[in-house]
Amino acid sequence: MSVAARKKVLLMGKSGSGKTSMRSVIFSNYSAKDTKRLGATIDVEQSAVRFLGSLVLNLWDCGGQNAFVDNYLAAQKDTIFSNVAVLIYVFDITSTEWETDMRYFEGIISALREYSPDAGVWVLINKMDLADKEDPKRKKYDERRGDVVSVDERVKGKARGMLRCFPTSIWDESLYKAWSSVIHTLIPNIGLITSHLTFMRDLCLAAEAVMFEAETFLVIAKSGSPLDSDPSQMDDNEVKSGAKALDPQRFEKISEIIKGFRKTCQRIGETFSSFESKFDDCTVVLEPLTRNTFILIVSVDPRIESAMLTYNIYHAQVHFA
Ligand code: GTP
């Protein structure tokens, strides 16, 4: 029996920026509205989330009130910042104390770079729903991102972990995009999963095969080119099936829609098990693949019947288990 890899994920940022809200929407099936009931996190709340059977995320949700942060940077520095795989740092785009926010960020990123030099950093600039109405071109986001990157460059020294920035809101699918990107880098055998999905897509004469984690519905991998690659890296079948023209946000939109649909099923006492649909020449099938994953297969060939896709998924299950 294989031993699950445990990865420490720190969730930090100023009080009220939305850390616990994100965690609850992604991992505990809260709706964005439900998060209004959440209280402030006291000190550090630890939880272990089993992801894909072979990966356990040790999530440290660190309360963001100043007194707690001062303590993380003084008495608890070693405990908090050692052995970190990923730091997710959440900013509130509406904050009126940006200079103070940056000072705290600098303290935290310096401690991280010192104690866990290989850790990846995801900076989520959150509550974009509140800023987008006044600033649709996202100038403020670009400025904030520029400040964050320059702080990291200043303190990075010889540390190797990279930093990525995402605009997020718990009210739309942007949250799934950012968290999928985090999870994607933590899964050890992602290359093998991608090649299995590509084989599956070609076997089914389909346009795309995508794997989702069963609980969170975060996208794990897709057929063809890696999830985070740009369109120039697409393989021949992706180019032929017109994947370049597809909505680049389709995966996180599907995550959000399926989670919403599953909640509706629960409300009316039904269990969501799978989904299939046919419109024009397009056939879409979403089925469980393993105990922890679902597979979505999209075909644009009018000759392909959904029964053929589900039959192939059924026979592929043993190879993915
Ligand atoms: P501490 O636990 O004190 O560190 O705070 P926190 O960062 O965990 O904040 P929390 O998740 O408790 O969120 C604070 C408030 O912000 C809640 O009322 C959320 O509903 C709200 N909130 C979180 N994310 C968003 C967002 O993207 N948009 C909007 N409009 N509100 C959000």
Side-chain angles (χ1 to χ4, degrees):
M1 202 171 86
S2 65
V3 178
R6 299 184 86 85
K7 306 274 185 179
K8 178 172 168 185
V9 178
L10 287 184
L11 188 50
M12 303 189 97
K14 210 174 93 171
S15 181
S17 57
K19 302 177 293 298
T20 310
S21 303
M22 296 186 170
R23 174 166 70 94
S24 308
V25 170
I26 299 284
F27 295 106
S28 308
N29 278 322
Y30 276 46
S31 67
K33 207 166 137 206
D34 297 335
T35 66
K36 291 189 175 156
R37 291 189 271 117
L38 289 169
T41 306
I42 306 301
D43 205 13
V44 180
E45 255 176 38
Q46 286 191 37
S47 51
V49 185
R50 183 169 279 275
F51 209 88
L52 277 188
S54 60
L55 175 66
V56 175
L57 300 185
N58 277 339
L59 208 54
W60 293 38
D61 182 351
C62 305
Q65 291 175 32
N66 294 354
F68 297 137
V69 181
D70 292 340
N71 199 32
Y72 306 146
L73 292 172
Q76 290 180 281
K77 209 169 175 181
D78 191 8
T79 320
I80 301 272
F81 295 101
S82 296
N83 302 315
V84 178
V86 167
L87 163 70
I88 301 174
Y89 198 95
V90 184
F91 283 104
D92 176 347
I93 186 85
T94 66
S95 169
T96 50
E97 299 169 341
W98 186 242
E99 282 181 15
T100 318
D101 296 354
M102 287 310 289
R103 254 201 326 276
Y104 273 107
F105 175 65
E106 183 162 350
I108 282 174
I109 194 97
S110 305
L112 180 84
R113 294 308 191 195
E114 183 187 346
Y115 284 84
S116 296
D118 292 330
V121 180
W122 269 257
V123 172
L124 311 188
I125 303 192
N126 194 35
K127 305 198 184 179
M128 290 302 297
D129 54 294
L130 300 178
D132 276 347
K133 282 172 221 128
E134 284 164 25
D135 180 24
K137 291 203 172 141
R138 298 198 160 173
K139 276 193 186 152
K140 192 170 172 184
Y141 168 76
D142 290 338
E143 280 168 22
R144 302 293 203 227
R145 191 175 64 138
D147 292 347
V148 164
V149 170
S150 56
V151 165
D152 185 46
E153 278 168 2
R154 200 163 61 238
V155 303
K156 196 166 178 183
K158 291 198 177 117
R160 291 167 296 272
M162 50 76 208
L163 179 142
R164 288 184 197 179
C165 221
F166 283 85
T168 56
S169 164
I170 61 164
W171 289 94
D172 65 36
E173 70 280 354
S174 58
L175 193 61
Y176 289 90
K177 184 182 176 71
W179 279 79
S180 279
S181 162
V182 175
I183 299 301
H184 183 70
T185 57
L186 293 176
I187 295 169
N189 52 349
I190 201 79
L192 185 66
I193 297 175
T194 303
S195 67
H196 281 356
L197 288 173
T198 306
F199 183 76
M200 187 72 187
R201 174 199 67 187
D202 297 344
L203 186 83
C204 296
L205 303 176
E208 196 158 68
V210 190
M211 184 189 268
F212 294 90
E213 198 277 332
E215 263 317 297
T216 57
F217 251 90
L218 291 172
V219 61
I220 291 167
K222 69 168 185 60
S223 53
S225 52
L227 257 188
D228 46 8
S229 60
D230 65 71
S232 65
Q233 292 169 284
M234 284 181 171
D235 74 6
D236 289 350
N237 278 346
E238 281 178 293
V239 174
K240 253 191 278 166
S241 66
K244 259 187 194 169
L246 295 176
D247 183 348
Q249 292 174 337
R250 60 195 179 283
F251 307 120
E252 52 270 22
K253 282 184 177 164
I254 292 166
S255 303
E256 202 199 12
I257 291 167
I258 297 293
K259 272 188 97 171
F261 182 55
R262 197 166 56 181
K263 279 185 100 174
T264 308
C265 291
Q266 278 164 0
R267 249 200 321 270
I268 57 169
E270 296 290 339
T271 310
F272 170 76
S273 56
S274 63
F275 173 87
E276 69 175 66
S277 174
K278 198 167 176 83
F279 38 93
D280 300 331
D281 288 341
C282 185
T283 306
V284 179
V285 166
L286 178 73
E287 287 280 336
L289 185 63
T290 65
R291 208 152 50 90
N292 308 97
T293 60
F294 273 73
I295 187 168
L296 173 84
I297 301 191
V298 181
S299 166
V300 288
D301 184 334
R303 296 168 302 168
I304 303 290
E305 293 295 336
S306 59
M308 186 280 265
L309 299 177
T310 42
Y311 180 81
N312 280 341
I313 293 172
Y314 175 74
H315 284 282
Q317 282 166 346
V318 284
H319 298 286
F320 281 90

